[in-house]
Amino acid sequence: MFEIDDAREALRQADEIAAEHPGDPAVQTLHHTCRMGLELLAGLQDGDEGIIRDLPGRMGLLDGFAAGHPEAQRLLSTVTTMSEVLAAQRRGDHDAVAAGIARLEGVDGIPGLPELDGGHSLSDLLRAFMPGSAPPAARTIDGEATTAPAPSLWPSGGTEVLRRMAERPGASPAERAMFLTAVGGLALKGGEETDPQVIAASLADLREGLAQADPGDPRRPFYKASLALGLWQRAQADGFSSDLDEALELLEQARAEASGPDDPAWSLINGMLAEVHRLNGADHASSRRAGLDGLRSYAWRVLLQPDPLAARIAARDAAKDAMDIAANCLMDHELTDALRALDAGRGLLLFAATELRDPTTRLVEAGHPELAARWAAVAGKDAPAQLRREVIDVLALQSGVLDTPGLEEIQAALCRLDADALVYLVPGAPTRPGWAVIAPAEGRPSYMALANLLVDDSVDVERYLNAITTREVNREPVELHDSLHGLCEWAWKAAVGPVIRPFLDAAGAGRVPRLVLVPMGELARIPWQAARDPEGVYAVERVAISQAASARMLCDSAAAAPVPLTSAGLIVADPDTGGRAAELYAARLEAHAVHRSFYRGARYVGRLPDGTVSRSGPGSPDDVREWLRADDAEAGAVLHLASHGVMRAGPQEASSHLLLAGGEILAADELVGLIAANRRAVGLVVLAACHTGRSVHGYDEAYSLGTMFLAAGARTVLSTQWSVPDQATSLLMYMFHHHLIAERRPAWDALRRAQLWMLDRDRRAPEGMPESLREMLRGHTDPARVAAWAGFIHWGQ
């Protein structure tokens, strides 16, 4: 075995050698094989999750080279399986990890791989490095894994395997350092070990591993942080204050030696610094600074990734770590720091989409035209990790993109948006209450503990979350109907009642308070506007509620120049999907009524109320693409989509798309790219389709079709939390546009007034409402049902 200190330099040298022998198939085959391994090493050094994810597929390209060579085929098959296990472990797919390791059971003696004596197999080695390699018994909602952690699986014999690797004859000092550090870390069981003798032995291995590392080894900061973790653990168990002093010294050294937020160990180093400062005395200010600085690493990692799936892997622990740091800030009564911490772990995928939307222009403005040209040459999304690293270096230096907005910036944004406060809702856990952190438009921030803000199996929230994901068009399951009443009452008691009370008391005559919520975790699935007080009054009747992906995205929305609405735009009405989805008859009536009443200059595509196809287009992906590429002045600034929305989420796939004419799909990523590429000034996007506000990357990452439009530059978005009912949605959407255009209300107020109209038992159809919609009011539709009006959320301006 040998060490490669700089995989990128090794890649450059390999390419030069291959270029000198263009006609030699043996050299080209060797080059292809070596390059794959070097790219993986470079990806690991750079933190490029995309390289690791794509490795199994890339290994398949070597099948032809191994044909006819049984030993080579066996080696290739084994290495491919190992790459599948690594990729699955990185994305959190525990089932795939366990399955891959099971396929490796008993595999030994492969040429080129080290012998594992003592009866240990290759699968033992993998389990040693991946203690969480069995499927977790986690609760799921709609097939999506919740944040329940994988069980601790610390296999017996794992440390023996690693120690044998460290003691293997011929092992280099760098290899011994790596394996001994792994031995010590595994023995500590991730902080679970309490036996003083085991901890002492682990510390000895960690010290020896650090001693073996060369002074220039880039992993030394990690080794020092690992030793500090062991010392912190012994101090926790035995109360040795000297251990905390040594841990603090090691962590300060590790921080000084690390390259910064781009260092793989940065979050570990600073997270440990925060803990040690807090335990080692009263230096809570240093603890907060270290914790906040460690969170900057997540933004860096996410920006570095080539696509959303890789970014999701990089950001998967961000929300949890952010809430932990924020909790410490709250204990110190430093609410501004708590806001910064929460925002550092929220909306990171959207943040990356925003920051890298037009880096070419920003690089030129920063005085780096050559770098801008290199970025433009690879179309950005295909940029290698090293190029992305160079771009982010410049952008970070020029704009401070790794820093979250401060209180003054948040308050300025709230004032521009005519909002009273930004409210973070943080779910509780069995051992602690939930809480709300509130940044008002004026004055000091505040927070309150919320003992009931806990989503678990003991409340109707769980039954509700399951019910809304199985809801069919125009049919309200008994489970949803029964659970909604309990949910609405829970939402008021758990959060809305206590949070809005001060704003109701302070509101002047005739003013309705407006709050912008940032619900964390599973709380993002709750229709907070439908929270109901003991008197049966809904929250929407007392306050106006919008949502934001994060404070950072709120500030971006507020800073964007408003886009005036005209009678022009694009309206997509129930395209014929070729049988791939149910027809939405009421959506046609809605779209046609909205078009005739408010946007006569808009292009209408899809189906007319009688089912015939519009002469302007069938509502295909090309129709939407053409509009997004058109001149703003002629095409208008309103996009109204009355169609089917589809969301898929899982460890290997996460996507959101529109289902359009002929069953063709238009992916959210492409939609956003079209807006960004054409600098399209879109003032309003109405997504009257199912699940358009639901995150495709789990509850802790607000990355949905709706919020992606915001990241691309759309000023205002309306999206849905669930499968909205066809007829009731048509009434709600008509009334929204009525208040927006006929009464010239802001979008957030227009949606609230439309929802209040739905709740009003004495509602009257406004002048101009088409007869087709009036008939719905006279029919069996009940607009006052919560499921009929509460599924829509306002985002942006």
Side-chain angles (χ1 to χ4, degrees):
M1 299 180 74
F2 59 92
E3 288 290 311
I4 297 177
D5 293 328
D6 191 339
R8 289 183 295 276
E9 174 61 20
L11 271 170
R12 188 189 64 77
Q13 294 178 11
D15 289 342
E16 287 181 354
I17 294 172
E20 295 172 359
H21 305 276
D24 189 331
V27 172
Q28 295 304 313
T29 297
L30 181 61
H31 171 247
H32 182 84
T33 307
C34 290
R35 200 173 210 291
M36 193 174 300
L38 290 171
E39 285 179 343
L40 174 62
L41 287 176
L44 290 171
Q45 290 177 1
D46 289 334
D48 186 348
E49 298 289 348
I51 287 286
I52 301 171
R53 183 202 59 213
D54 295 339
L55 183 62
R58 296 163 66 85
M59 295 297 299
L61 299 176
L62 298 177
D63 286 343
F65 301 146
H69 302 281
E71 288 299 329
Q73 287 178 321
R74 186 179 178 210
L75 173 60
L76 177 60
S77 175
T78 302
V79 176
T80 299
T81 301
M82 293 175 67
S83 70
E84 291 170 352
V85 171
L86 175 61
Q89 190 267 344
R90 296 300 297 167
R91 67 175 182 263
D93 189 347
H94 302 287
D95 289 334
V97 171
I101 289 180
R103 289 198 299 274
L104 292 172
E105 292 286 358
V107 175
D108 282 316
I110 299 175
L113 294 178
E115 292 289 336
L116 303 179
D117 55 359
H120 296 295
S121 67
L122 189 60
S123 56
D124 291 327
L125 179 61
L126 279 174
R127 283 200 177 97
F129 277 108
M130 301 178 185
S133 59
R139 177 169 54 88
T140 63
I141 296 175
D142 192 29
E144 297 179 33
T146 66
T147 53
S152 296
L153 299 172
W154 306 99
S156 60
T159 53
E160 296 178 39
V161 176
L162 295 172
R163 192 178 300 281
R164 290 180 187 279
M165 297 293 288
E167 296 173 353
R168 189 180 72 257
S172 69
E175 290 171 346
R176 286 196 289 272
M178 179 178 66
F179 285 113
L180 284 171
T181 301
V183 169
L186 184 63
L188 290 174
K189 297 181 180 179
E192 296 177 11
E193 182 58 65
T194 57
D195 188 327
Q197 293 183 334
V198 174
I199 294 175
S202 172
L203 287 171
D205 288 321
L206 291 168
R207 291 187 193 280
E208 178 61 21
L210 178 59
Q212 290 286 332
D214 185 84
D217 191 328
R219 288 164 293 203
R220 280 182 65 87
F222 172 73
Y223 296 157
K224 289 186 175 182
S226 298
L227 177 55
L229 177 61
L231 292 166
W232 171 83
Q233 190 168 336
R234 185 166 69 177
Q236 290 279 84
D238 296 337
F240 289 171
S241 60
S242 59
D243 282 342
L244 288 178
D245 293 336
E246 184 183 358
L248 183 60
E249 182 179 357
L250 283 166
L251 290 167
E252 294 288 4
Q253 293 173 6
R255 180 184 166 89
E257 294 172 13
S259 57
D262 61 320
D263 194 293
W266 188 255
S267 57
L268 172 63
I269 293 168
N270 284 279
M272 284 303 305
L273 262 175
E275 287 296 323
V276 172
H277 273 305
R278 191 162 288 273
L279 287 174
N280 204 30
D283 193 3
H284 289 191
S286 294
S287 174
R288 292 193 305 276
R289 283 196 299 270
L292 289 168
D293 212 19
L295 292 175
R296 299 172 78 236
S297 176
Y298 286 112
W300 178 277
R301 291 183 215 167
V302 170
L303 285 169
L304 186 65
Q305 304 311 316
D307 55 61
L309 272 176
R312 178 178 69 169
I313 295 171
R316 62 185 171 187
D317 296 326
K320 178 184 178 301
D321 286 357
M323 287 189 284
D324 289 343
I325 298 297
N328 286 338
C329 295
L330 291 178
M331 285 191 292
D332 296 341
H333 301 286
E334 293 291 340
L335 305 189
T336 299
D337 284 347
L339 285 166
R340 284 188 177 277
L342 290 172
D343 217 58
R346 178 74 178 172
L348 292 178
L349 274 65
L350 289 170
F351 163 61
T354 302
E355 290 303 320
L356 296 179
R357 188 168 63 217
D358 184 23
T360 303
T361 301
R362 295 170 63 187
L363 289 170
V364 172
E365 293 172 349
H368 295 267
E370 182 273 337
L371 185 57
R374 286 166 55 201
W375 178 269
V378 296
K381 67 178 182 179
D382 299 318
Q386 178 56 23
L387 177 56
R388 296 177 75 88
R389 178 180 290 272
E390 293 178 47
V391 168
I392 296 164
D393 270 333
V394 172
L395 296 183
L397 288 172
Q398 294 294 324
S399 64
V401 298
L402 301 185
D403 298 317
T404 55
L407 179 61
E408 290 185 4
E409 188 177 353
I410 293 172
Q411 290 181 323
L414 290 169
C415 290
R416 283 194 295 269
L417 296 173
D418 192 26
D420 292 270
L422 178 73
V423 181
Y424 263 97
L425 293 178
V426 182
T431 57
R432 63 166 175 78
W435 21 275
V437 184
I438 304 167
E442 296 180 355
R444 299 171 58 85
S446 62
Y447 84 100
M448 58 181 65
L450 299 170
N452 296 303
L453 194 58
L454 173 64
V455 177
D456 61 21
D457 294 329
S458 66
V459 296
D460 279 343
V461 178
E462 182 63 22
R463 189 154 59 99
Y464 159 78
L465 291 176
N466 281 300
I468 63 172
T469 59
T470 58
R471 190 175 182 281
E472 297 178 4
V473 174
N474 284 332
R475 188 175 73 86
E476 184 174 315
V478 173
E479 299 97 311
L480 177 58
H481 180 78
D482 291 344
S483 64
L484 273 173
H485 294 293
L487 174 79
C488 295
E489 293 170 359
W490 171 86
W492 181 271
K493 180 175 66 173
V496 172
V499 167
I500 72 172
R501 187 174 298 116
F503 296 96
L504 294 175
D505 294 340
R511 173 171 173 77
V512 175
R514 183 186 175 206
L515 305 181
V516 181
L517 303 184
V518 183
M520 301 284 284
E522 292 179 353
L523 300 181
R525 297 287 300 282
I526 306 300
W528 298 104
Q529 61 273 20
R532 190 171 62 183
D533 71 10
E535 297 177 0
V537 178
Y538 290 104
V540 71
E541 300 177 74
R542 297 179 179 271
V543 296
I545 293 178
S546 299
Q547 286 195 22
S550 64
R552 186 165 10 211
M553 289 298 296
L554 176 85
C555 293
D556 287 345
S557 292
V563 176
L565 303 184
T566 67
S567 64
L570 178 68
I571 296 175
V572 181
D574 185 32
D576 184 352
T577 64
R580 290 190 61 182
E583 293 190 1
L584 301 173
Y585 173 68
R588 299 176 214 162
L589 300 180
E590 162 204 325
H592 193 260
V594 167
H595 176 233
R596 300 295 294 174
S597 297
F598 309 113
Y599 306 102
R600 284 185 172 270
R603 182 183 175 190
Y604 182 100
V605 298
R607 287 188 282 190
L608 297 167
D610 63 4
T612 59
V613 176
S614 169
R615 288 180 294 179
S616 298
S620 66
D622 282 341
D623 290 334
V624 181
R625 294 184 185 109
E626 181 181 340
W627 182 79
L628 288 172
R629 295 187 180 113
D631 177 74
D632 297 350
E634 296 180 4
V638 175
L639 175 60
H640 183 101
L641 293 159
S643 61
H644 282 284
V646 180
M647 193 279 295
R648 294 192 178 95
Q652 299 190 64
E653 179 188 20
S655 64
S656 182
H657 62 259
L658 298 172
L659 186 60
L660 299 174
E664 294 185 65
I665 66 171
L666 186 56
D669 290 342
E670 183 183 355
L671 279 167
V672 171
L674 286 167
I675 296 175
N678 294 283
R679 297 178 177 272
R680 193 69 163 84
V682 179
L684 172 66
V685 177
V686 178
L687 298 169
C690 301
H691 300 300
T692 53
R694 186 175 168 198
S695 173
V696 299
H697 290 291
Y699 300 126
D700 286 326
E701 177 50 57
Y703 191 83
S704 67
L705 181 60
T707 55
M708 287 170 71
F709 270 106
L710 283 177
R715 304 305 194 262
T716 303
V717 174
L718 262 59
S719 64
T720 59
Q721 288 182 293
W722 56 66
S723 297
V724 291
D726 193 20
Q727 291 191 14
T729 295
S730 300
L731 293 169
L732 179 67
M733 289 296 93
Y734 183 88
M735 293 306 300
F736 164 73
H737 287 287
H738 168 76
H739 290 295
L740 180 73
I741 301 300
E743 298 189 1
R744 299 185 179 279
R745 299 287 181 178
W748 59 268
D749 189 36
L751 177 60
R752 176 177 179 269
R753 288 173 181 270
Q755 291 172 326
L756 291 176
W757 181 87
M758 299 282 281
L759 280 169
D760 187 358
R761 296 294 180 179
D762 296 323
R763 72 185 75 84
R764 294 290 184 271
E767 183 178 352
M769 176 181 276
E771 183 60 27
S772 59
L773 297 185
R774 292 173 182 269
E775 288 181 3
M776 291 183 191
L777 287 175
R778 294 192 291 265
H780 298 293
T781 300
D782 181 6
R785 290 178 305 147
V786 172
W789 60 266
F792 277 83
I793 300 173
H794 168 269
W795 308 78
Q797 294 180 354

